[in-house]
Amino acid sequence: MQGFARWIMQSTPRAVGVALLGSLVPWLFWLSAAISALVTLRRGFGPASPVVLAAAVPAGWWWMQGDAIPLASILLVTVMAIILRERFRWGETLLAGAIVVAVLIQIGVFAPPDASQLIEEVRAQAPEIDELLRQYASQGVPVEQLARLMISAVTGLMVMLAATACLSLARSWQAALYNPGGFREEFHRFRLSRLELAGVVLMTAVGLLGALPGAVLMAWVPLLVAGIALVHGVVGVKSMRGFWLVGFYALLLTTWPTLVIVLLLALIDTFADFRTRLIGSQR
């Protein structure tokens, strides 16, 4: 897609047109979000604002139809691109994005208008969730309010992951056009600093103490991305074949223990810096 990205960056009207068309088509919002992020990363928010607006207007129509994910993803990835352009730190960018999404979850931006009907459908199709809600109801917890918050948290997580993926795609396009190999090097060496990890822990503590499940869920996304970067970095340092990454993603998407291990490794890597140790051992 390097040729496609180069074609887009040759003219602002091209970027505006593709962002507009992508946002109009269901499930192509990710393309509009990536284009908005690419132009923002390269030129800054001012010059990129027509592209962002072109992507956001049709997405706003989808929002009014009940789908908040496209518009939220486009706006969030733009905010994250601005931060990454200014700060050059993925950890700060991801943490800021997580905070924004947690706030949106808490104020009910992602709560569906027909939540009651959706909750009943989920309870009918998922007995384990129905049983969990019954237990909370027996303890005096407002079930519908809790269910709405759960739905909002899941939607927010989808928005955060989509925005992170779109930002990564935009960064890879930027590197391919203007700094070949730069994104691979940048991603392979990414790990959370101790200050950024403290931010993750603080956000988790605030979420637990304030009964804010969205904050707890979002807080660990930066650590998850750092763990994925660690795996990519180790595979790169050891010059391992690509099928190792395929197997890793298959396990990550299908097994909870793999997710926990990735989070723990990323946590330890903040202090141990595994990749630097591996490079040193190979000399």
Side-chain angles (χ1 to χ4, degrees), residues 175-239:
L177 294 177
Y178 309 108
N179 182 27
F183 176 70
R184 183 179 186 273
E185 180 183 352
E186 181 180 64
F187 187 65
H188 280 199
R189 69 170 185 245
F190 166 53
R191 65 189 182 97
L192 294 181
S193 68
R194 297 185 182 186
L195 183 60
E196 292 160 355
L197 180 60
V200 170
V201 174
L202 177 61
M203 187 174 173
T204 304
V206 170
L208 291 174
L209 295 175
L212 308 173
V216 177
L217 185 61
M218 290 302 107
W220 295 96
V221 173
L223 198 63
L224 174 62
V225 178
I228 293 173
L230 171 61
V231 173
H232 277 261
V234 170
V235 170
V237 170
K238 302 294 288 185
S239 300

Side-chain angles (χ1 to χ4, degrees), residues 17-111:
V18 176
L20 179 66
L21 291 176
S23 190
L24 283 171
V25 180
W27 297 110
L28 266 184
F29 72 88
W30 60 269
L31 180 61
S32 297
I35 292 171
S36 299
L38 172 61
V39 181
T40 302
L41 285 169
R42 182 59 182 174
R43 300 175 183 168
F45 178 69
S49 55
V51 181
V52 177
L53 184 62
V57 170
W61 184 83
W62 287 114
W63 184 303
M64 291 187 291
Q65 304 306 308
D67 187 1
I69 293 178
L71 180 59
S73 299
I74 290 168
L75 297 180
L76 179 63
V77 77
T78 302
V79 171
M80 293 170 68
I82 293 171
I83 296 172
L84 184 59
R85 172 183 166 84
E86 295 297 326
R87 299 292 299 170
F88 300 102
R89 292 197 61 86
W90 273 93
E92 293 180 9
T93 301
L94 293 170
L95 190 57
I99 293 172
V100 170
V101 175
V103 172
L104 294 179
I105 291 172
Q106 194 59 35
I107 64 178
V109 169
F110 300 125

Side-chain angles (χ1 to χ4, degrees), residues 81-192:
I82 293 171
I83 296 172
L84 184 59
R85 172 183 166 84
E86 295 297 326
R87 299 292 299 170
F88 300 102
R89 292 197 61 86
W90 273 93
E92 293 180 9
T93 301
L94 293 170
L95 190 57
I99 293 172
V100 170
V101 175
V103 172
L104 294 179
I105 291 172
Q106 194 59 35
I107 64 178
V109 169
F110 300 125
D114 54 346
S116 298
Q117 180 181 352
L118 182 59
I119 291 167
E120 292 303 321
E121 292 177 358
V122 171
R123 296 183 71 169
Q125 297 176 10
E128 63 278 4
I129 294 180
D130 181 56
E131 178 61 27
L132 178 63
L133 292 177
R134 289 179 184 275
Q135 292 177 6
Y136 278 111
S138 65
Q139 299 172 9
V141 177
V143 173
E144 183 170 340
Q145 180 180 350
L146 177 63
R148 286 172 65 91
L149 195 57
M150 290 173 61
I151 294 172
S152 296
V154 172
T155 304
L157 178 61
M158 293 174 62
V159 167
M160 182 65 192
L161 294 177
T164 301
C166 290
L167 182 61
S168 299
L169 178 60
R171 193 66 160 179
S172 68
W173 284 345
Q174 183 189 27
L177 294 177
Y178 309 108
N179 182 27
F183 176 70
R184 183 179 186 273
E185 180 183 352
E186 181 180 64
F187 187 65
H188 280 199
R189 69 170 185 245
F190 166 53
R191 65 189 182 97
L192 294 181

